Amino acid sequence: MTGITPEAFVLGMSALGAGLAMICGIGTGVGQGYAAGRAVEGVARQPEAQGDILKIMLVGQGVAETPTIFAFVVAIVLLFANPLVGMLG
């Protein structure tokens, strides 16, 4: 009986890590949806402050999106340009 090769193990764990990294997108989506909903409520209450509310919301959306972009980059690196496989020897 042969065991799993080290390369297959690293590739499998890298795929699992890439999937776990992309779970970050769930929280980002929920948070951005909540922020957009609150901004719409704010504009409905104070239409004259629409410009300021939208400006602040868009900056917040950009800040909230950053961790998901980093997680996506990590997932792509783990799947397609995996530096860990080269360390096996």
Side-chain angles (χ1 to χ4, degrees), residues 21-79:
M22 291 316 299
I23 290 176
C24 177
I26 295 172
T28 300
V30 169
Q32 287 182 335
Y34 182 76
R38 298 296 290 183
V40 169
E41 287 177 13
V43 170
R45 273 186 267 123
Q46 292 182 327
E48 66 277 358
Q50 177 183 2
D52 292 335
I53 292 171
L54 291 180
K55 219 182 313 182
I56 292 170
M57 183 200 68
L58 288 176
V59 169
Q61 298 277 350
V63 171
E65 189 72 25
T66 304
T68 303
I69 293 169
F70 286 138
F72 179 68
V73 169
V74 166
I76 293 297
V77 167
L78 285 175
L79 290 177

